[in-house]
Amino acid sequence: MRVKGEARRPRQEPSLSPAPESHHSHPAPATLFEEFLSRENLARALKRVEQNAGASGPDGMTTADLRPWLHVHWPEVRAKLEAGTYRPSPVRRVTIPKPGGGERLLGVPTVLDRLLQQALLQVLTPLFDPHFSDQSYGFRPGRSAHEAVRVAQKAIAEGHDWVVDLDLEAFFDRVNHDALMARVARRVKDKKVLKLLRAYLNAGIMAEGVLVRSQEGTPQGSPLSPLLANVMLDDLDQELASRGHHFVRYGDDLMIYVKSQRAGERVMASTRRFVEKKLKLKVNEAKSAVAPATARPFLSFRFFRREAEVKVRLDPKALKAVKMRLRRLTGRNWRVSMPVRIAALNRFTRGWTAYFALVDTPSLFAQLDGWLRRRLRQVRGEEWKGWRARARNLCALGIPAPTAYSWSVSRKGCWRIAGSGILSRALPNAYWQAQGLRSVSESYRCLRDARRTAGCGPACPVVWEGSG
């Protein structure tokens, strides 16, 4: 009990700055639960939540509101956590479109629960991650999607020309809570931590103002979900490894590489039995298949053979998806200034190119550059309202007056005009470069060079995703 007037203990309030190093600092936490509630761990979790930002949960609190709220309410929250009476809020149900069609269900926790889950994640990861399979790459520190793709590429190059592409139906919505907690309890012995994890699994979902109790599943969008998914699927990894299979898993995307169709069908049948009987999950028959390895995408990449080498290319669905996104950013109905539009385009293409710079088809990026500039010429042409304004602007850009006037009254569609020689001369590549537009193909080239030289100069500020 704190005596009236006594200063509150520093560890009761999360702070962005860690405690100063001292020979007389707080003793090391005796239990996992104490480590979870330690000042240093909570400060690190708070910083991460604030950096990630994200949408608010059912209570409407934002990440910007969290720190001031904690200064007032943290002692009460901590007391409930220590007493085992804390009850997580239900997550807010949202849906996002999938690139291949359909919708993906996400759960958005409150920012307070995101903080606590992040703090749990930070103490649980060192317990579980070192014991996960080397063939698991998803949501793990120091591992990336690029590494997973390279493993798949190597397996194909070594002659494993068939793949068992196993898709788990609604994996995050179907995880059996008892089966998951049994696997967590193999390494976590602290009962307070186990009780809090179970409370998060049972928190439920707020859908259109109605609370839906959850008997199974761990909603995507929770900081803990990726780790719990790996915990659940690690048994499958160990089983496949014990059989000597060449496989790679990224989250719930599993690819098993074999040398013949017959072997693939046998592996598919045995793996399906293991998933359904041991893990209590269901295989999506419509999306799972045994097929030639070059015919199935993995993490939005595909593979093709060029002479004796196996190369990486972009999955056509991923190209369709990026064009849909760029259409929204270059839509004529989005009434923003060109600098704002170009800044948004640069932010998107920078991250997209960093991910897909793994592909071995540079011509695709050059084609995308040309298509994007044509979209921007269409936007610029629409900004010149009226034939007089179009003629005046074309003349100002160096087009002879007779040609400018004839094109300003053209009845051709805006997309056709945007691809015409006249607008390409008026708004050339140098014009868009001067406007600040980053070239997708130039970013790709720079990333490839950075990968080869293991460094990146001042002219190439982008990050190679697979190098970290």
Side-chain angles (χ1 to χ4, degrees):
M1 179 181 296
R2 184 167 61 90
V3 179
K4 185 176 181 181
E6 180 184 349
R8 184 176 288 122
R9 293 180 182 178
R11 68 185 183 90
Q12 288 183 325
E13 252 180 40
S15 169
L16 270 180
S17 56
E21 294 184 4
S22 170
H23 295 293
H24 303 288
S25 59
H26 297 293
T31 66
L32 187 65
F33 193 77
E34 289 178 2
E35 185 181 352
F36 154 63
L37 285 180
S38 68
R39 178 184 179 185
E40 293 79 6
N41 186 53
L42 289 167
R44 195 154 51 97
L46 178 59
K47 185 175 182 180
R48 184 63 180 267
V49 169
E50 289 178 330
Q51 287 175 340
N52 290 344
S56 59
D59 61 352
M61 186 189 299
T62 66
T63 52
D65 301 327
L66 178 58
R67 185 180 291 269
W69 189 91
L70 287 173
H71 281 301
V72 177
H73 299 281
W74 175 246
E76 177 186 350
V77 174
R78 185 185 181 107
K80 289 182 179 179
L81 288 167
E82 291 177 333
T85 58
Y86 178 79
R87 294 293 176 266
S89 300
V91 300
R92 179 168 64 88
R93 173 68 84 198
V94 297
T95 59
I96 60 172
K98 290 184 178 180
E103 292 183 331
R104 176 176 285 113
L105 299 177
L106 297 181
V108 182
T110 65
V111 289
L112 173 61
D113 284 325
R114 291 215 291 272
L115 168 67
L116 297 178
Q117 289 191 46
Q118 179 63 36
L120 277 172
L121 176 67
Q122 291 167 182
V123 297
L124 292 176
T125 297
L127 287 179
F128 287 98
D129 193 78
H131 303 280
F132 287 150
S133 167
D134 288 338
Q135 302 307 111
S136 168
Y137 289 87
F139 319 115
R140 296 183 61 188
R143 291 179 167 240
S144 70
H146 282 186
E147 291 175 318
V149 173
R150 288 301 190 199
V151 170
Q153 182 184 17
K154 182 181 178 183
I156 299 170
E158 290 175 349
H160 297 83
D161 293 325
W162 287 80
V163 65
V164 178
D165 185 351
L166 199 73
D167 185 88
L168 300 177
E169 185 174 324
F171 169 72
F172 285 92
D173 296 324
R174 290 183 178 274
V175 173
N176 182 280
H177 289 177
D178 291 335
L180 175 58
M181 289 303 300
R183 286 161 173 79
V184 171
R186 292 173 185 172
R187 299 199 178 277
V188 176
K189 305 304 179 183
D190 193 311
K191 293 183 178 180
K192 287 187 175 182
V193 173
L194 292 173
K195 183 177 180 179
L196 185 57
L197 282 173
R198 173 70 81 165
Y200 274 116
L201 292 176
N202 295 337
I205 298 163
M206 189 65 70
E208 297 181 354
V210 178
L211 176 61
V212 180
R213 293 293 178 187
S214 52
Q215 300 300 321
E216 60 182 10
T218 167
Q220 285 181 273
S222 155
L224 280 171
S225 291
L227 175 66
L228 295 179
N230 281 331
V231 169
M232 190 69 191
L233 293 176
D234 187 57
D235 281 6
L236 176 58
D237 295 340
Q238 302 301 336
E239 176 69 16
L240 294 174
S242 69
R243 297 179 187 178
H245 291 313
H246 290 75
F247 72 97
V248 58
R249 183 176 64 80
Y250 193 93
D252 58 341
D253 290 320
L254 174 64
M255 310 292 275
I256 310 170
Y257 292 92
V258 295
K259 293 191 174 182
S260 68
Q261 181 178 6
R262 183 177 179 182
E265 291 171 350
R266 184 174 64 250
V267 170
M268 172 67 87
S270 61
T271 307
R272 182 191 293 112
R273 286 195 299 271
F274 184 89
V275 166
E276 294 180 348
K277 291 184 178 179
K278 297 291 185 180
L279 303 184
K280 309 300 181 185
L281 297 170
K282 188 175 181 181
V283 173
N284 188 328
E285 301 292 345
K287 293 185 178 180
S288 300
V290 176
T294 54
R296 301 293 290 187
F298 179 49
L299 301 178
S300 296
F301 295 95
R302 283 186 184 247
F303 306 96
F304 67 98
R305 287 192 177 274
R306 180 181 290 170
E307 298 176 352
E309 290 185 285
V310 175
K311 300 288 188 178
V312 182
R313 65 186 177 95
L314 186 68
D315 181 34
K317 289 183 179 179
L319 181 60
K320 182 179 179 181
V322 70
K323 284 192 170 184
M324 286 179 61
R325 179 66 181 272
L326 292 175
R327 281 190 182 96
R328 290 197 294 271
L329 293 174
T330 56
R332 289 169 289 163
N333 293 330
W334 189 30
R335 306 294 184 181
V336 295
S337 65
M338 189 58 74
V340 172
R341 192 184 298 272
I342 287 177
L345 285 168
N346 286 340
R347 283 194 299 271
F348 172 72
T349 58
R350 180 174 180 172
W352 185 87
T353 309
Y355 182 76
F356 286 106
L358 196 63
V359 306
D360 298 309
T361 52
S363 60
L364 180 146
F365 295 89
Q367 293 167 7
L368 192 61
D369 258 336
W371 181 84
L372 178 56
R373 286 192 293 265
R374 184 173 177 178
R375 291 283 304 178
L376 288 173
R377 287 197 296 270
Q378 177 180 270
V379 172
R380 183 61 93 195
E382 286 294 305
E383 290 176 349
W384 301 335
K385 296 193 179 297
W387 68 271
R388 289 186 179 84
R390 285 194 291 271
R392 184 170 61 253
N393 280 286
L394 287 172
C395 288
L397 290 167
I399 305 300
T403 307
Y405 279 101
S406 65
W407 275 92
S408 66
V409 295
S410 172
R411 294 186 178 182
K412 294 178 181 179
C414 55
W415 177 246
R416 187 173 176 184
I417 293 175
S420 66
I422 187 69
L423 222 59
S424 297
R425 284 167 51 198
L427 303 172
N429 296 357
Y431 173 87
W432 296 112
Q433 187 177 1
Q435 296 290 314
L437 181 69
R438 290 179 183 269
S439 166
V440 178
S441 56
E442 181 63 22
S443 295
Y444 167 79
R445 181 200 61 76
C446 190
L447 286 162
R448 299 286 287 194
D449 290 345
R451 177 187 170 218
R452 284 191 287 267
T453 60
C456 193
C460 177
V462 285
V463 177
W464 172 255
E465 189 266 354
S467 65

